[in-house]
Amino acid sequence: MDFPRLVERTGHFRYGAPHSVTVGGDGRRVAFLRSTGPEDPASSLWVLNVSTATESLVAAGPLRAYATDRDATVAAFTREGRLFRADLARGTVTEVPTGEPAEDPRPDPLGTRIAYVSRAAGSPSLRVVGPDGDRLLAGESGNAWREHGGTIGWGVADEAARRFGRDRGWWWSPDGTQILAARTAASTSLHLLDLDFGWVDVHWDRETYPYVVSVRWADGGGPLITVLRRMQQHGLVLAVDPRTGETQVHAELADARWVEPVAGTPRHLPDGRVLVGGELAHDGFDARCLFADGSLLTPPTLYVRRVVGTVPRPGNPAPDLIVEGTDGDPAVQSVFRVRTSLGGGGAEARKVTGTPGWHRAETGGDVLVVDDVVWRGEARVAALGNLAAPLPYAPQPMLERVTDRRLPAAVLYPTGFVGGTKIPVLVSLGDGPGRQQVVTDPAAWQERQWWADNGFAVVSIDGRGTPGVAPSFEKVVHRRLVDVSLTDQADALKALLGKHPDLDLGAVAVRGKGLGGWLAAMAVLRRPDVFHRAVARSPIVDWFDEPAPLAERYLGDRRDSADVYAHHNLAEADPTDAVLLVGATVPGLPSVTTANLVEELAFLRAS
């Protein structure tokens, strides 16, 4: 298969590599998925026995996802609506009869029952199957579903939740006797459901705090939830009483622009303290940190991206946190052990990964998996077999920090490029502000290398609005996204010319998708002196039409910011043939329903 078709069909180059890793809570097993190849992107379920360092195939594909019980002894997954139960210790798979097609199945923590979502009646409902058969736990009548315009349901994440990264709609209690479920309608509510059909509502001021950003119920105690105001400038971390549904405020989150919770928080630490992600913005600090009951756990130099879990700390009853984060270079994601017992030494984080890269981790019991390597304490005990073929390209982007704002940037030349001649520039915006482009991950540069080998110096610039540097760097775009973003792109291009004199800034094309597609089009429309031709895939056209969580995060309250929204509106563009829209229509701009990479290349090469 040629490279453009490979990119557009699959979107990644990691076939044969392990992914979706789960470590059992007792540290005995590691479950994971592995796909077979680009012609068959669906994955199979494998399990690693940690003590023997041996892998075994449990269930051949096609699998898209799976879930396990607490100790990874049982896994559940679906195929075309049919529910299956896998015994990970024995390597056997059995089909579980259900009355309705199943999706999002999850075993209870003890592996006795499996709950799942069904859409058989139109409205999503929550069901449980176990020793006493397949039962409806929560659902709506067909009339209620129709009266709410088909938007009501149980156990699923609403659009707002997905915008905040919450893709789940229900959670088992640690003892497997209750389920905390979201009910989506005009607003999201939460309910504690007993398996004997008793239930209580979770109480908080839903009118003031309509967004349920995160829910966690896995670390002892009751559930912890994070809720935000509509403008996202204030939020609450609430502890839920699982008997009554009453909530208690554990922490407040506030920011004049928007609150950005840390993935993997809040959570209970083993000693009962609650871990919360937050920011330091005083005394010269500009940091994304972790706090335990108000005490700072992470050094201000560490930009925390995600809390993975905990592992034992040798010689200390208090465990270490495992954290994915950045310390200095925003292009690198490392894995750290963070001390949870402060003692007299203050916050302490020790880097686990030794080489620069984009590293990921998972934990369970005393086992830590970093990328493909399995560790128990300081000992490497196994590795997940990585059967991925070599990547098509070996890109060598030249990473820089440019302008007085130290914007992360990179230049990628054609393979074998010899300096001394001017070369056209392609600015790659990817998915736009909010998504990093400049990362030390070879897979992230494969498509850009294809563009480079077709005659461009590909430039990527992580301007303000991009995570990874500091909270203020990320949030300064509030209500002025287009102006700040385009200023950074233009200034960085000019600064790069000093180090890369072969860049032809008289021939600059720009390309992006979604939010990045909108910015690509705006670059040519607002700064034709710098950007000369653009391809915008599925761009935002009118911010008034975008989901409120996205639009209001960047542009503020749409009810009293009409001028800000108008300033960011692509639909008001003057006619030009220098912008090609793919999958969107704006009067006066060329547009097509679909386009492949070769067709985009031809447009961007045109003078």
Side-chain angles (χ1 to χ4, degrees):
M1 180 180 291
D2 63 276
F3 185 82
R5 289 179 60 206
L6 180 65
V7 169
E8 295 185 348
R9 178 169 175 175
T10 68
H12 66 85
F13 307 88
R14 297 191 181 278
Y15 297 112
H19 63 97
S20 303
V21 175
T22 302
V23 185
D26 58 7
R28 295 183 177 182
R29 282 167 292 277
V30 178
F32 61 95
L33 296 180
R34 181 191 285 132
S35 56
T36 55
E39 299 299 334
D40 182 17
S43 298
S44 298
L45 177 62
W46 293 74
V47 65
L48 172 83
N49 184 313
V50 175
S51 63
T52 62
T54 56
E55 290 180 6
S56 57
L57 174 65
V58 177
L63 274 74
R64 302 292 178 179
Y66 73 99
T68 73
D69 64 347
R70 180 170 49 228
D71 290 336
T73 60
V74 170
F77 58 88
T78 60
R79 290 193 183 108
E80 298 180 345
R82 298 161 59 195
L83 176 61
F84 293 86
R85 182 185 187 275
D87 186 319
L88 298 180
R90 295 182 174 87
T92 59
V93 178
T94 56
E95 183 171 359
V96 180
T98 60
E100 298 181 358
E103 62 181 72
D104 190 26
R106 297 179 184 274
D108 70 39
L110 304 180
T112 304
R113 297 175 174 83
I114 299 173
Y116 67 93
V117 173
S118 173
R119 299 178 187 264
S123 173
S125 60
L126 194 58
R127 303 182 67 91
V128 177
V129 59
D132 43 4
D134 184 8
R135 304 181 297 153
L136 174 67
L137 193 62
E140 301 288 333
S141 67
N143 289 336
W145 183 63
R146 286 187 291 271
E147 289 172 1
H148 286 81
T151 61
I152 192 171
W154 286 84
V156 295
D158 59 286
E159 175 64 24
R162 289 190 290 270
R163 291 285 176 174
F164 291 114
R166 177 173 67 81
D167 58 1
R168 295 186 56 184
W170 64 274
W171 302 263
W172 281 107
S173 64
D175 63 3
T177 63
Q178 286 180 291
I179 285 177
L180 177 61
R183 179 181 182 269
T184 60
S187 64
T188 296
S189 57
L190 295 174
H191 309 269
L192 288 153
L193 312 176
D194 295 330
L195 297 189
D196 61 2
F197 300 106
W199 67 318
V200 296
D201 302 331
V202 176
H203 301 286
W204 81 95
D205 185 351
R206 290 168 47 206
E207 184 174 349
T208 303
Y209 298 92
Y211 293 146
V212 182
V213 174
S214 67
V215 177
R216 183 174 177 83
W217 196 6
D219 308 303
L224 294 170
I225 66 175
T226 303
V227 295
L228 291 182
R229 289 178 180 264
R230 175 171 169 171
M231 289 301 105
Q232 305 174 47
Q233 295 166 337
H234 191 267
L236 302 174
V237 174
L238 301 175
V240 181
D241 186 325
R243 297 172 296 107
T244 66
E246 297 299 325
T247 57
Q248 181 178 2
V249 177
H250 183 83
E252 294 191 43
L253 309 172
D255 191 278
R257 286 81 46 102
W258 70 79
V259 168
E260 185 72 46
V262 173
T265 67
R267 67 169 64 211
H268 285 103
L269 295 176
D271 61 8
R273 290 178 297 165
V274 174
L275 185 73
V276 176
E279 297 168 2
L280 279 178
H282 58 81
D283 295 335
F285 293 121
D286 187 8
R288 187 164 161 80
C289 305
L290 297 175
F291 301 85
D293 282 359
S295 298
L296 179 65
L297 286 189
T298 50
T301 55
L302 176 60
Y303 181 101
V304 178
R305 296 178 182 270
R306 181 174 80 103
V307 176
V308 178
T310 60
V311 292
R313 183 180 180 90
N316 195 314
D320 283 346
L321 282 173
I322 298 298
V323 171
E324 295 171 348
T326 292
D327 184 8
D329 185 356
V332 174
Q333 176 171 285
S334 303
V335 178
F336 297 83
R337 291 180 72 122
V338 175
R339 190 175 64 176
T340 59
S341 58
L342 292 176
E348 177 187 298
R350 178 170 65 88
K351 188 180 295 185
V352 174
T353 46
T355 58
W358 200 260
H359 299 288
R360 299 170 177 84
E362 296 296 338
T363 64
D366 60 351
V367 169
L368 168 64
V369 178
V370 179
D371 301 326
D372 302 337
V373 179
V374 182
W375 299 84
R376 176 166 273 151
E378 299 296 323
R380 173 175 172 158
V381 296
L384 306 181
N386 192 332
L387 308 181
L391 295 171
Y393 297 118
Q396 295 182 320
M398 302 178 69
L399 275 57
E400 314 279 3
R401 299 294 292 273
V402 297
T403 79
D404 59 352
R405 298 180 290 280
R406 291 186 49 77
L407 305 173
V411 179
L412 184 63
Y413 289 106
T415 303
F417 177 76
V418 178
T421 58
K422 289 290 187 180
I423 182 171
V425 173
L426 173 63
V427 177
S428 174
L429 296 175
D431 291 333
R435 300 289 183 89
Q436 280 186 259
Q437 286 271 299
V438 184
V439 295
T440 52
D441 180 356
W445 296 93
Q446 297 297 304
E447 181 181 333
R448 281 176 276 184
Q449 187 66 65
W450 181 86
W451 282 97
D453 287 353
N454 277 278
F456 291 99
V458 178
V459 172
S460 300
I461 301 157
D462 284 342
R464 288 171 291 175
T466 307
V469 176
S472 65
F473 186 92
E474 184 175 354
K475 298 177 182 181
V476 71
V477 297
H478 184 61
R479 293 174 62 86
R480 52 189 188 129
L481 176 63
V482 68
D483 300 310
V484 172
S485 298
L486 292 184
T487 294
D488 283 355
Q489 296 290 321
D491 289 353
L493 277 175
K494 187 180 299 183
L496 284 169
L497 186 61
K499 297 184 178 181
H500 300 270
D502 293 324
L503 299 181
D504 184 358
L505 298 192
V508 178
V510 58
R511 178 177 181 269
K513 179 181 179 182
L515 182 53
W518 163 80
L519 188 59
M522 295 296 274
V524 172
L525 296 169
R526 295 286 176 85
R527 294 297 303 271
D529 57 316
V530 177
F531 306 97
H532 309 113
R533 209 157 182 83
V535 168
R537 277 185 169 266
S538 306
I540 292 172
V541 174
D542 187 342
W543 284 81
F544 273 108
D545 297 332
E546 292 303 301
L550 174 68
E552 295 181 339
R553 160 173 291 203
Y554 285 119
L555 305 188
D557 191 341
R558 66 181 73 190
R559 295 167 294 189
D560 59 12
S561 303
D563 56 334
V564 176
Y565 280 75
H567 183 63
H568 289 75
N569 194 339
L570 186 59
E572 302 298 325
D574 293 329
T576 179
D577 60 1
V579 175
L580 176 65
L581 305 182
V582 181
T585 302
V586 172
L589 302 182
S591 64
V592 294
T593 303
T594 60
N596 60 37
L597 297 184
V598 175
E599 291 166 332
E600 291 187 27
L601 176 64
F603 179 84
L604 293 177
R605 278 177 168 171
S607 59

Short mmCIF file of all heavy atoms in Angstrom, two decimals, residues 70 83 139 169 195 258 262 275 302 453 502 586:
data_model
loop_
_atom_site.label_atom_id
_atom_site.label_comp_id
_atom_site.label_asym_id
_atom_site.label_seq_id
_atom_site.Cartn_x
_atom_site.Cartn_y
_atom_site.Cartn_z
N ARG A 70 -10.37 -6.01 38.77
CA ARG A 70 -9.29 -5.32 39.47
C ARG A 70 -7.93 -5.99 39.27
O ARG A 70 -6.92 -5.32 39.06
CB ARG A 70 -9.62 -5.24 40.97
CG ARG A 70 -8.55 -4.52 41.78
CD ARG A 70 -9.02 -4.24 43.20
NE ARG A 70 -9.60 -5.42 43.82
CZ ARG A 70 -10.77 -5.45 44.47
NH1 ARG A 70 -11.49 -4.34 44.58
NH2 ARG A 70 -11.22 -6.56 45.01
N LEU A 83 -21.44 -10.28 23.61
CA LEU A 83 -20.60 -10.10 24.79
C LEU A 83 -19.77 -11.36 25.05
O LEU A 83 -20.30 -12.47 25.00
CB LEU A 83 -21.46 -9.78 26.01
CG LEU A 83 -20.76 -9.64 27.36
CD1 LEU A 83 -19.74 -8.50 27.34
CD2 LEU A 83 -21.78 -9.42 28.47
N GLY A 139 -32.73 2.63 32.79
CA GLY A 139 -33.07 2.95 31.41
C GLY A 139 -34.27 3.87 31.36
O GLY A 139 -34.88 4.18 32.39
N GLY A 169 -19.31 6.64 31.03
CA GLY A 169 -20.55 7.11 31.62
C GLY A 169 -21.01 6.31 32.82
O GLY A 169 -22.10 6.54 33.35
N LEU A 195 -27.29 -3.06 43.10
CA LEU A 195 -27.65 -4.18 42.24
C LEU A 195 -29.00 -4.79 42.62
O LEU A 195 -29.55 -5.58 41.84
CB LEU A 195 -26.56 -5.25 42.29
CG LEU A 195 -25.18 -4.82 41.76
CD1 LEU A 195 -24.27 -6.03 41.65
CD2 LEU A 195 -25.29 -4.11 40.43
N TRP A 258 -9.47 29.64 32.12
CA TRP A 258 -10.22 28.40 32.28
C TRP A 258 -9.44 27.45 33.17
O TRP A 258 -8.22 27.51 33.27
CB TRP A 258 -10.53 27.74 30.93
CG TRP A 258 -9.35 27.15 30.20
CD1 TRP A 258 -8.74 25.96 30.43
CD2 TRP A 258 -8.66 27.73 29.08
NE1 TRP A 258 -7.70 25.75 29.56
CE2 TRP A 258 -7.63 26.82 28.71
CE3 TRP A 258 -8.80 28.92 28.36
CZ2 TRP A 258 -6.77 27.08 27.65
CZ3 TRP A 258 -7.94 29.17 27.30
CH2 TRP A 258 -6.93 28.26 26.96
N VAL A 262 -5.98 18.02 35.82
CA VAL A 262 -4.92 17.11 35.43
C VAL A 262 -5.50 15.71 35.25
O VAL A 262 -6.23 15.21 36.12
CB VAL A 262 -3.80 17.09 36.49
CG1 VAL A 262 -2.76 16.01 36.18
CG2 VAL A 262 -3.14 18.46 36.59
N LEU A 275 -5.67 13.47 46.16
CA LEU A 275 -4.73 14.07 45.22
C LEU A 275 -5.51 14.89 44.20
O LEU A 275 -6.45 14.40 43.57
CB LEU A 275 -3.94 12.99 44.51
CG LEU A 275 -2.82 13.45 43.58
CD1 LEU A 275 -1.63 13.96 44.39
CD2 LEU A 275 -2.39 12.31 42.65
N LEU A 302 8.29 20.66 37.24
CA LEU A 302 7.67 19.52 36.55
C LEU A 302 6.28 19.89 36.06
O LEU A 302 5.40 20.22 36.85
CB LEU A 302 7.58 18.31 37.50
CG LEU A 302 6.86 17.07 36.96
CD1 LEU A 302 7.54 16.54 35.72
CD2 LEU A 302 6.79 15.99 38.05
N ASP A 453 9.46 15.12 1.58
CA ASP A 453 10.07 14.45 0.42
C ASP A 453 9.36 14.80 -0.88
O ASP A 453 9.86 14.44 -1.96
CB ASP A 453 10.06 12.94 0.65
CG ASP A 453 11.09 12.52 1.69
OD1 ASP A 453 11.88 13.37 2.13
OD2 ASP A 453 11.08 11.32 2.07
N ASP A 502 17.73 28.52 4.05
CA ASP A 502 17.18 27.95 2.82
C ASP A 502 15.66 28.02 2.77
O ASP A 502 15.06 27.72 1.73
CB ASP A 502 17.62 26.49 2.67
CG ASP A 502 19.12 26.37 2.43
OD1 ASP A 502 19.67 27.24 1.73
OD2 ASP A 502 19.73 25.42 2.94
N VAL A 586 -17.74 27.53 2.56
CA VAL A 586 -17.82 28.95 2.86
C VAL A 586 -17.94 29.68 1.53
O VAL A 586 -17.10 29.46 0.64
CB VAL A 586 -16.59 29.45 3.64
CG1 VAL A 586 -16.62 30.97 3.77
CG2 VAL A 586 -16.53 28.80 5.01
#
